[in-house]
Amino acid sequence: MANSVDLLNARGGKIVERKIRSDAPALGTVIASLPSETKDTPREIISRFRQECIDWFKGYLENAGMHLKLLHPPPGRKITHLHLWFTPGRETLSRREWKMGKVTNPSLPEKENMRRSFFREIGNRYFDELEKPK
């Protein structure tokens, strides 16, 4: 397992590294956004997008043995977006089948699969609805 660096635990100018516990808490994050500025997007589309994102990510993460813990829709931003945080699910933790890197930094193919799946199932519709010339 990799080492963790705690910058607050420097001794004599040296950075202290320690092994990461296999059961250490891990937090992954995802950001999903609409392709238009908030001021140009009807409220009903923003609400629908947020709920569809939550539902989609819950399902996607459950299939990956993860659990959606928290989401935050920052208000008043130029572009409507959601921040979603997730952790390993209880069942995955109890079986000790997860690796911290899989949660905090999945492989490039896994990231690309998630992006493509999300765009195909959710994002593409909003892109067509909001960005197509009228």
Side-chain angles (χ1 to χ4, degrees):
M1 180 142 297
N3 286 344
S4 169
V5 176
D6 184 351
L7 296 177
L8 298 176
N9 195 12
R11 294 191 183 110
K14 291 185 178 182
I15 295 174
V16 177
E17 290 190 19
R18 58 185 165 81
K19 293 281 186 196
I20 298 174
R21 295 183 351 233
S22 62
D23 63 345
L27 184 70
T29 185
V30 175
I31 299 173
S33 65
L34 280 170
S36 61
E37 290 192 13
T38 303
K39 67 180 178 58
D40 300 330
T41 308
R43 277 268 160 248
E44 79 210 31
I45 291 176
I46 291 172
S47 294
R48 186 170 27 113
F49 174 75
R50 286 179 175 164
Q51 189 58 53
E52 287 183 20
C53 283
I54 293 165
D55 295 342
W56 191 88
F57 279 105
K58 274 185 181 176
Y60 187 90
L61 292 167
E62 277 180 18
N63 288 338
M66 302 294 157
H67 178 71
L68 183 62
K69 293 298 254 187
L70 178 68
L71 66 105
H72 175 60
R77 299 296 174 99
K78 186 175 181 177
I79 301 291
T80 297
H81 63 283
L82 287 172
H83 294 259
L84 302 107
W85 290 273
F86 58 94
T87 62
R90 288 179 196 245
E91 188 175 310
T92 305
L93 282 171
S94 68
R95 290 192 315 256
R96 298 184 181 267
E97 292 180 352
W98 68 279
K99 295 191 182 334
M100 183 178 282
K102 188 162 178 63
V103 179
T104 59
N105 191 23
S107 70
L108 290 177
E110 287 175 296
K111 288 179 194 176
E112 186 61 22
N113 179 53
M114 183 176 66
R115 280 192 286 265
R116 287 179 185 271
S117 296
F118 178 79
F119 189 75
R120 184 177 56 250
E121 297 171 31
I122 303 291
N124 191 37
R125 187 169 3 125
Y126 288 92
F127 184 79
D128 288 346
E129 187 174 351
L130 295 169
E131 293 296 310
K132 271 190 178 174
K134 308 226 177 319

